[in-house]
Amino acid sequence: MLLQRLALCSRIPLDSRRHVCWLLTRPLSQVPQGRANSSSFAHRGELRQAKRIVVKLGSAVVTRGDECGLALGRLASIVEQVAMLQNQGREMMIVTSGAVAFGKQRLRHEILLSQSVRQALHSGHNQLKDMSLPLLEARACAAAGQSGLMALYEAMFTQYSTCTAQVLVTNLDFHDDQKRQNLNSTLQELLRMNIVPIINTNDAVVPPPEPNSDLQGVISIKDNDSLAARLAVEMKADLLIALSDVEGLYNSPPGTDDAKLIDIFYPGDQQSITYGTKSRVGLGGMEAKVKAALWALQGGTSVVIANGTHPKVTGHVITDIVEGKKVGTFFSEIKPAGPTVEQQTEMARSTGRTLASLQPDQRSEIICHLAELLTERKEEILAANKMDMDLAVSAGHLPPPMLKRLSLSSAKLNSLAIGLRQIAVAAQDSVGRVLRRTRVAQNLELEQITVPIGVLLVIFEARPDCLPQVSALAIASGNALLLKGGKEAANTNRILHQLTQEALSMHGVKEAVQLVSTREEVEDLCRLDKMIDLIIPRGSSQLVRNIQRAAKGIPVLGHSEGICHVYVDADASVDKVIKIVRDSKCDYPAACNAMETLLIHREILRTPLFDQIIDMLRTERVKIHAGPRFASFLTFSPSEASSLRTEYGDLECCLEVVDSMQEAVDHIHKYGSSHTDVIITENGDQNKMMRSI
């Protein structure tokens, strides 16, 4: 394919060739725009905008465990990711190690072959004596391995119709202005032609590294870490990905008991870490990587150090980083004012233990105080909610049901306060209640009692009323709580969380409930399996499915869709029917327990009761979708329901006809979601059947 492109370009006039070749080689997908200025990205999520990316492959990533030869499978997966990003319109460069290891493999093979031939000639028989290999000099290995390494890259990238070019450099190429300009020009031209430059130090001629030889403001090329940093800054790269054999940067040597992976590293944090030994191969260790990363960061290039050897993540580590996922250690110049989500979780867990040890009366007092704050400070809450509503309406991306869920009112706050006081009463025996007692032996009893779960992560969409409800339930059950709300309700969530912590402060457990307000992706939160004990998603069925897929090692308490039914039996009371149907559909249609399907007994059709139901729904402006059987009874029917499993979440519902209560129950089992279902009847003989729902 590449030859076809070049052949076509060669037949185009010279003055038009550059423009046409660009169109031929660039994909038609949207091209990332890169940074708007010369500063590095402040947050992981911004890495999606990275256009020019340098991928540094350390020796431990490229070579096998025996240091003689290349890790071909690992290298192939890295090449696939780089080619995919290149085909997205990004400009990819690779700084690679591996020439010495590849050359060592080739030279050892040649030496062994040569020795075996000589021994066979001198001994006259095929029995070979023990052969010892001489110590191989690194420069000779590099000279023997460089061409083979490049041929391997060329063959792998060819599978993805991606062209590569080899560039060998030394420290002098950066110290000499003319050579540096030539190098820059060469790389710029290669990138313009959609070619992936593969850069390495010319280890066949490079002198041994000199310690402490950095020039003023310039990092010396001592290893591929410093080469990658210097190259990234020189080429104004948006992102440098340094792959090694560790997960990232730890606060102490990996493997020690207290070692913790640092998610985000800031230039002022150097004193807080202790470096271990360098990797099994290569010249640089983690200290060299950090020094090179900080130098690149100062030059305006964002840096991520991650593991490129783990078999479970190697196949997507580069693309995950570019997508902004929490992988490895991200270097940032901007330190947020608040704590990280890991610190918030630690604070919640620690304070949650104190919350669990409080007396039931004390937990009830906290919840009652929160209920009082909801009514006393309603003006602040409604003002914040108005800001969110105005922003959502002006943005225009929220559907009407979501806007209704986002909206708060005095009536809704009063209802919330009543609900919280009910939870406060239930909090009296939520923790420490004996569920079962078994006598195992004389004077030995086994008790099963209720205890807190630990740290809960509750993820909810644009529903700010969810925050005080969930907080009250967590407080009642003695659980620490981590909340992640929809950005559409950011202002409302903030004031509600402040009131929650104000209520918690009365017994010194303010930090037990935390609101995640950083740019953490939900998928990243779901990976905190060592810090979170249970995830509870509150929102659409799609949100629940996404959380269940993303959660790694954390149980998820998911719920089903709110496809709720109301069945009107032939023996139903007229007054009850009108009141129940109106309340279940019209009071709060966006609620998850609102009626979505109205089932009518066939005998009610063409009766005054049926007319009253239809008139009431029309008065309330409820749009009716006819079920297939109901539509068959009508000459001119409403729009037919596209599915009997639809959760409308608005002033809409499906109306269907059944012949009996048993058929209604069967319909609910088939199309419902086991959330909330109602049967309206005055026939006492149907009680047994009603309990089967």
Side-chain angles (χ1 to χ4, degrees), residues 69 276 387 418 492 499 526 553 578 674:
M387 292 174 59
I418 293 172
T492 314
L499 298 180
C526 293
I578 300 302
S674 302

Side-chain angles (χ1 to χ4, degrees), residues 95 152 227 249 260 280 387 513 537 548 553 562 600 618:
V95 175
L152 181 62
L227 169 60
L249 184 60
K260 291 184 178 180
R280 59 178 173 81
M387 292 174 59
V513 176
Q548 289 172 333
I600 300 289
R618 285 175 177 170

Side-chain angles (χ1 to χ4, degrees), residues 462-613:
R463 292 186 59 176
D465 57 333
C466 180
L467 194 151
Q469 291 173 340
V470 172
S471 298
L473 290 169
I475 295 167
S477 56
N479 286 294
L481 181 61
L482 200 64
L483 293 159
K484 175 66 173 174
K487 61 182 179 180
E488 299 85 2
N491 294 296
T492 314
N493 288 339
R494 189 178 303 111
I495 182 65
L496 290 174
H497 177 249
Q498 290 173 1
L499 298 180
T500 302
Q501 290 201 322
E502 184 176 331
L504 288 164
S505 297
M506 67 185 300
H507 287 297
V509 287
K510 174 183 176 182
E511 306 299 338
V513 176
Q514 298 284 330
L515 177 65
V516 179
S517 56
T518 59
R519 300 191 179 196
E520 300 293 328
E521 297 289 344
V522 169
E523 187 172 340
D524 294 329
L525 292 172
C526 293
R527 294 177 179 176
L528 300 177
D529 58 310
K530 296 181 180 179
M531 309 176 78
I532 295 171
D533 300 297
L534 178 66
I535 300 175
I536 305 175
R538 292 287 307 275
S540 65
S541 58
Q542 185 61 48
L543 172 68
V544 175
R545 286 192 292 269
N546 291 341
I547 298 301
Q548 289 172 333
R549 281 195 296 265
K552 305 296 183 183
I554 309 176
V556 177
L557 183 60
H559 64 82
S560 62
E561 296 171 298
I563 305 176
C564 305
H565 293 73
V566 172
Y567 166 62
V568 181
D569 190 46
D571 298 319
S573 164
V574 175
D575 292 338
K576 288 182 181 179
V577 168
I578 300 302
K579 290 178 181 179
I580 292 173
V581 172
R582 176 188 285 115
D583 182 78
S584 61
K585 180 72 261 185
C586 308
D587 180 63
Y588 187 15
C592 55
N593 62 345
M595 180 191 77
E596 304 295 358
T597 298
L598 176 61
L599 297 176
I600 300 289
H601 193 287
R602 183 169 55 85
E603 293 180 5
I604 296 178
L605 290 176
R606 299 183 178 89
T607 67
L609 174 57
F610 178 77
D611 294 338
Q612 290 181 52
I613 294 173

